[in-house]
Amino acid sequence: MYKASRFSPLASVIRHTVITLPTPVNISTWWNFGSLLGVCLATQIFSGLVLSLHFTAHTDLSFYVVIQSFGDVYYNWWFRALHANGASFFFIGLYLHIARGMYYSSYVFKEVWSVGVVILLLVMASAFLGYVLPWGQMSFWGATVITSLFSALPIIGSDVVIWLWGGFSVDNATLTRFFGIHFLLPFTVAGLAGLHLFFLHDQGSSNPLGVSSDFNKVVFHHYYVLKDLVGVCFFVGPLLGLVYFYPWLLGDPENFIEGNPLVTPHHIQPEWYFLFAYAILRAVPNKLGGVVALAAAVLILFYMPFSPKTSIKGLSFYPWGKVLFFSLIGVFILLTWAGSKPVEEPYVVVSQVLSFLYFFYFLLIGPLTRIQDKLL
């Protein structure tokens, strides 16, 4: 009897979170990505913990320890391929989750949306730090380029860069602190994910129609538990296909070379999921302006809850809004493509035009939908 009363609060929280939670009956497959991101986060934490057991954060050893552990540690190759490709699938899920929230106006729930954007920022930071750890050629130069951007900050820029590096160049101190922060950030993200769910369950989920669904809800289990499990199967299948058959397809060949500060790669670029922001950074000829544009490319998501309100939540009933939204998706894909190209014409001009269109969407979508409200 004592044990039952001791654990009943926890059991009650679990029951209300994943079993009896009232859920709109008409939510579609696009709402599956929340649970998929939870699976991705758990996978990244577990595989990262396993990899950390066989990793040495030292510039003279990291690259060789990673290579040697492939043959000396059972299934280390599998965990590394899972961790690397899992990061890519994590970002695919994040971007689709954000796109769904933008299309269906989930940002009207300010607390849920704001915590989600903070999670995105921390995941991006963790991915960048983790990319540096194997100490490959592109990892080293990527860390050098990105951290050097802080030198554009007025007055304190140089001091911030030295503090990040732990010295006067990207070296052993940099790698050590990057490893420590990369290890801690996923647990911070997990805590924020719990807060994200708390606000979501407190305010309720949105739905494709954008109208109140309080009169037509069903319990989460077993309807949506089974639906989420099917989504996980469809998501995990391609991930395991990459892990087993094309483990390095999304990686950079330069990272099979040890980081060398004396040899600069011909074309320095980050992982594919950062290329859209990298293209925006390069589109601005001024260094400080590029850094501001880079930060604004993500921070502008905080503006969405304060954009002009519409009569109906979501873009389903706004034809011009839908055209603008899917144009943004195309711009995002083209920015990712432009970020993978060298800094030369015509790619610079293309990046500048696409960057303008990217920011123009956030300024135009609110007034455009308000005009359609008045016409209707």
Side-chain angles (χ1 to χ4, degrees), residues 34-280:
S35 59
L36 290 176
L37 289 171
V39 172
C40 285
L41 179 60
T43 301
Q44 292 301 97
I45 290 176
F46 176 68
S47 59
L49 284 172
V50 173
L51 292 175
S52 69
L53 299 176
H54 307 284
F55 181 76
T56 303
H58 195 286
T59 54
D60 294 333
L61 300 173
S62 295
F63 182 79
Y64 297 102
V65 165
V66 169
I67 298 299
Q68 185 182 20
S69 61
F70 274 21
D72 293 352
V73 179
Y74 285 122
Y75 293 105
N76 184 272
W77 66 270
W78 188 84
F79 282 106
R80 190 185 174 199
L82 179 67
H83 198 67
N85 291 292
S88 292
F89 275 70
F90 202 164
F91 275 96
I92 291 173
L94 274 172
Y95 291 151
L96 290 175
H97 194 55
I98 293 169
R100 190 269 301 166
M102 292 172 63
Y103 185 84
Y104 292 111
S105 298
S106 298
Y107 49 79
V108 297
F109 305 123
K110 295 181 181 179
E111 294 85 358
V112 180
W113 182 263
S114 299
V115 173
V117 177
V118 173
I119 289 174
L120 172 65
L121 291 170
L122 292 182
V123 170
M124 294 178 84
S126 182
F128 166 70
L129 298 176
Y131 184 63
V132 178
L133 298 183
W135 209 246
Q137 181 75 327
M138 191 59 70
S139 298
F140 170 79
W141 283 101
T144 302
V145 169
I146 298 302
T147 53
S148 296
L149 294 177
F150 287 94
S151 64
L153 297 174
I155 303 174
I156 62 172
S158 299
D159 294 331
V160 170
V161 172
I162 292 174
W163 178 79
L164 285 172
W165 288 346
F168 298 99
S169 64
V170 176
D171 209 334
N172 194 56
T174 316
L175 184 62
T176 303
R177 61 186 57 188
F178 276 21
F179 175 61
I181 299 173
H182 177 69
F183 189 89
L184 293 174
L185 277 180
F187 298 101
T188 307
V189 170
L192 286 173
L195 185 62
H196 187 65
L197 286 174
F198 171 78
F199 285 129
L200 176 65
H201 293 168
D202 180 60
Q203 298 175 353
S205 296
S206 58
N207 63 85
L209 291 179
V211 296
S212 175
S213 59
D214 291 340
F215 62 90
N216 193 14
K217 290 187 175 182
V218 295
V219 293
F220 191 80
H221 180 76
H222 55 87
Y223 295 99
Y224 290 111
V225 168
L226 294 177
K227 186 176 180 181
D228 284 350
L229 288 175
V230 172
V232 168
C233 292
F234 277 102
F235 203 67
V236 170
L239 173 59
L240 292 180
L242 275 181
V243 169
Y244 283 111
F245 299 105
Y246 305 100
W248 315 122
L249 178 67
L250 302 176
D252 196 303
E254 290 279 354
N255 273 333
F256 287 94
I257 305 171
E258 184 181 10
N260 187 349
L262 301 178
V263 179
T264 307
H266 176 67
H267 176 48
I268 299 174
Q269 66 180 52
E271 289 284 77
W272 71 266
Y273 37 79
F274 292 142
L275 287 175
F276 83 98
Y278 190 56
I280 293 174

